[in-house]
Amino acid sequence: MCQLLGMNCNVPTDICFSFAGFRARGGLTDHHRDGWGIAFFEGRGARVFLEPCASADSPVAELVRRYPIRSLNVIAHIRKATQGQIHLENTHPFQRELWGRYWIFAHNGNLCGYQPSLSGRFLPVGSTDSEHAFCHILDALAQRFPDAAPSPHELHAALRTISIEIGRHGEFNFLLSDGDYLFAHSSSRLVYVIRQSPFPVAHLSDEDLAVDFNEVTTPDDRVAVIATTPLTDNETWQSIPPGTLQAFHLGAPVALGETSTVAAEIGTGLSPSA
Amino acid sequence: MCQLLGMNCNVPTDICFSFAGFRARGGLTDHHRDGWGIAFFEGRGARVFLEPCASADSPVAELVRRYPIRSLNVIAHIRKATQGQIHLENTHPFQRELWGRYWIFAHNGNLCGYQPSLSGRFLPVGSTDSEHAFCHILDALAQRFPDAAPSPHELHAALRTISIEIGRHGEFNFLLSDGDYLFAHSSSRLVYVIRQSPFPVAHLSDEDLAVDFNEVTTPDDRVAVIATTPLTDNETWQSIPPGTLQAFHLGAPVALGETSTVAAEIGTGLSPSA
């Protein structure tokens, strides 16, 4: 299996602190050694760092840990291969363009007997179930909304339908973003924490590293951090119930569909470093 | 304007030496300070490093210069903005997927009054003439070959037709690759050198750095390096005549169309470092 890390903020924030703990799980504190990747949205643009080796040993991961790239939406992944060899083309997150926006996708889980029928507009380059699912999602969205991006509510509803369909084939936890909203689908486990004023002094679970976010934020900053399992040992992480497609926007969970189980309306909050 | 750098090889080769000189032109020995990027194909996969700042000042460029990533096809670009602001989404090279392969594109030149009609399958995310041209090229290829990739000869002929059409709007030097072939279109200036046994001791034009390729290669290795202007001052760089779409494969120019002006059939040769 794999592990996911996502960040959604109301001001461009770096992910150095959270990534330090997450990266350690790729070969140091856990066994996800089969590649890693991270995608940063900056404006409409996206940049993706990928490496088909353990993040704990990766020079590129070392750069990402130390270099504060500020972003409103980040998706990262460390891989324990289930389907597809340890090659660059099978390394998450994956990227495509739809409606003139980049879409970034990473998956934790395993889909069995899953061979979607694709139109050909989006085709996998590698051989993972994950990239097939990503192409399936975009294919379905493009067919349903051929001319332009739908509203966030319509998008959520369509994504939820497709996620249920694909989820019948197995574990299907994923993070998906177009740089505006971040969608987190939990089929078994996914947790999140909202950091906002007054900020905690957060301490990583995987490394003896703490940060006082009050020193690096303003009172209006707010950041949602989403992960497969909690990254800190002194914050309260909330579970996203299995079967939920949770949207995040401007650093908070938002209710876009009737089926969304986490309510919106979180106060103001925080952090150019997470 | 901008500058282009490409590499096409018969064995996976790192581009550290050539990139050292090329990078210096992004703010040190030349004025292309408005962003830079480099794409490496590894198998079917591709990874793209992008930064919307001068390559001479970029921590990511420093990593790329020192970290030997071995690849059969590389495309790099340093930007002097003509159209589109200095944003990540306007930073070359650009990436899309077609026929289950990644395509990478970078452009040097300026297209005036160029507003192609696009079907919507490939849409620009940023606002450069370059990304519009890339989407136009892929759109035309997808319409002409809807089901699967054509043969290299058919691909070359189609690309040449599209390039002539787009080139009517202005300077259109570009590098394009699917990880197998590298296509270099010269509308005004583009040069290349083939490094093969016996290898030269190459010396950079932009930095006092030399490398004896005999120490890092085998006699069968062969590398084509393509650039806007020569990167070394003691090798003979050949010009790609304006109006030519030159294909490179396994480290050598290949004649795919009647209009190709550079003959194929270069001997054996090489370099796991270029």
Side-chain angles (χ1 to χ4, degrees):
Chain A
M1 294 295 189
C2 310
Q3 292 221 359
L4 297 168
L5 168 63
M7 184 179 75
N8 169 274
C9 323
N10 67 350
V11 291
T13 302
D14 82 64
I15 197 168
C16 293
F17 174 72
S18 298
F19 184 73
F22 186 69
R23 177 198 178 195
R25 296 179 181 180
L28 211 61
T29 58
D30 211 334
H31 56 236
H32 310 88
R33 296 190 57 88
D34 301 335
W36 72 277
I38 187 167
F40 298 87
F41 279 98
E42 292 165 76
R44 296 176 64 87
R47 48 174 157 172
V48 188
F49 296 88
L50 299 170
E51 196 141 58
C53 71
S55 54
D57 306 331
S58 159
V60 182
E62 181 60 21
L63 174 89
V64 168
R65 194 179 82 84
R66 293 177 180 278
Y67 185 37
I69 296 174
R70 294 195 164 78
S71 171
L72 290 183
N73 284 284
V74 174
I75 290 178
H77 183 271
I78 48 176
R79 183 166 185 239
K80 176 84 178 68
T82 49
Q83 296 182 36
Q85 290 183 283
I86 303 171
H87 288 161
L88 182 62
E89 66 264 29
N90 292 331
T91 307
H92 309 218
F94 302 101
Q95 177 181 358
R96 293 290 189 279
E97 171 264 315
L98 173 60
W99 305 312
R101 296 294 296 251
Y102 290 123
W103 291 78
I104 298 286
F105 175 87
H107 168 220
N108 152 247
N110 193 24
L111 302 172
C112 301
Y114 173 61
Q115 293 179 317
S117 169
L118 300 172
S119 76
R121 174 160 173 182
F122 300 96
L123 290 175
V125 172
S127 54
T128 62
D129 51 340
S130 309
E131 194 187 8
H132 276 79
F134 181 35
C135 291
H136 185 175
I137 288 172
L138 294 184
D139 216 23
L141 290 178
Q143 286 184 33
R144 192 148 171 176
F145 309 103
D147 300 322
S151 71
H153 284 84
E154 289 172 310
L155 180 60
H156 182 274
L159 274 175
R160 192 171 151 72
T161 302
I162 305 161
S163 302
I164 290 170
E165 187 185 333
I166 299 175
R168 291 199 183 101
H169 294 271
E171 208 172 346
F172 193 45
N173 304 294
F174 71 76
L175 299 178
L176 173 73
S177 180
D178 66 345
D180 190 9
Y181 282 78
L182 190 149
F183 295 93
H185 183 258
S186 168
S187 87
S188 57
R189 56 178 184 163
L190 215 44
V191 296
Y192 73 92
V193 67
I194 306 298
R195 295 194 183 125
Q196 56 189 338
S197 181
F199 297 103
V201 176
H203 182 267
L204 291 178
S205 309
D206 296 80
E207 197 165 296
D208 188 13
L209 184 66
V211 64
D212 181 354
F213 288 118
N214 293 291
E215 294 175 1
V216 290
T217 58
T218 73
D220 292 334
D221 297 350
R222 186 175 58 207
V223 173
V225 178
I226 304 108
T228 298
T229 60
L231 287 165
T232 54
D233 51 21
N234 65 340
E235 293 179 293
T236 304
W237 291 72
Q238 290 184 259
S239 179
I240 300 178
T244 305
L245 176 68
Q246 182 59 54
F248 292 86
H249 191 231
L250 299 177
V254 289
L256 289 179
E258 293 172 21
T259 50
S260 202
T261 56
V262 182
E265 299 318 314
I266 295 231
T268 56
L270 154 359
S271 151
S273 188
Chain B
M1 292 298 189
C2 310
Q3 291 220 0
L4 296 167
L5 168 64
M7 184 178 75
N8 169 272
C9 322
N10 68 349
V11 291
T13 302
D14 81 64
I15 198 168
C16 292
F17 174 72
S18 298
F19 184 73
F22 185 70
R23 176 199 179 196
R25 297 178 181 179
L28 210 61
T29 58
D30 211 334
H31 56 235
H32 309 87
R33 295 190 59 86
D34 301 335
W36 72 277
I38 189 167
F40 298 86
F41 278 98
E42 292 165 76
R44 297 175 64 88
R47 49 174 156 171
V48 188
F49 296 88
L50 299 170
E51 198 141 58
C53 71
S55 54
D57 307 331
S58 159
V60 183
E62 180 60 21
L63 174 89
V64 169
R65 193 178 83 84
R66 293 177 180 279
Y67 185 38
I69 297 175
R70 293 197 166 76
S71 170
L72 291 182
N73 284 285
V74 174
I75 291 178
H77 184 271
I78 48 176
R79 182 166 185 239
K80 176 83 178 69
T82 49
Q83 296 181 36
Q85 291 183 284
I86 303 171
H87 288 161
L88 182 62
E89 65 264 29
N90 292 331
T91 306
H92 309 220
F94 301 101
Q95 177 181 359
R96 293 289 188 280
E97 170 265 314
L98 172 60
W99 305 312
R101 296 295 295 253
Y102 290 124
W103 292 79
I104 298 287
F105 175 87
H107 168 221
N108 152 246
N110 193 25
L111 303 171
C112 301
Y114 173 60
Q115 292 179 316
S117 169
L118 301 172
S119 76
R121 173 160 174 183
F122 301 96
L123 289 176
V125 173
S127 54
T128 61
D129 50 341
S130 310
E131 194 188 7
H132 277 77
F134 181 35
C135 291
H136 184 175
I137 288 172
L138 295 184
D139 216 23
L141 289 177
Q143 287 185 32
R144 192 148 169 176
F145 308 104
D147 300 322
S151 72
H153 284 83
E154 289 173 309
L155 180 60
H156 181 275
L159 274 175
R160 192 170 152 71
T161 302
I162 305 161
S163 302
I164 290 172
E165 187 186 333
I166 299 175
R168 292 199 182 101
H169 294 272
E171 208 172 345
F172 193 45
N173 304 294
F174 72 75
L175 299 178
L176 172 73
S177 181
D178 66 345
D180 190 8
Y181 282 79
L182 190 149
F183 295 94
H185 183 258
S186 168
S187 87
S188 57
R189 56 178 185 164
L190 215 45
V191 295
Y192 73 91
V193 69
I194 305 298
R195 295 194 183 124
Q196 55 189 338
S197 180
F199 297 103
V201 177
H203 182 267
L204 290 178
S205 310
D206 296 79
E207 196 164 296
D208 188 14
L209 184 65
V211 65
D212 182 353
F213 287 118
N214 293 291
E215 294 175 1
V216 289
T217 59
T218 74
D220 292 333
D221 297 351
R222 187 175 57 208
V223 172
V225 179
I226 304 109
T228 299
T229 60
L231 287 165
T232 53
D233 51 22
N234 65 339
E235 292 179 295
T236 302
W237 291 71
Q238 289 184 260
S239 178
I240 300 178
T244 305
L245 175 68
Q246 182 59 54
F248 292 86
H249 191 232
L250 300 176
V254 289
L256 289 178
E258 294 173 21
T259 51
S260 202
T261 57
V262 183
E265 299 319 315
I266 294 230
T268 56
L270 184 218
S271 150
S273 187

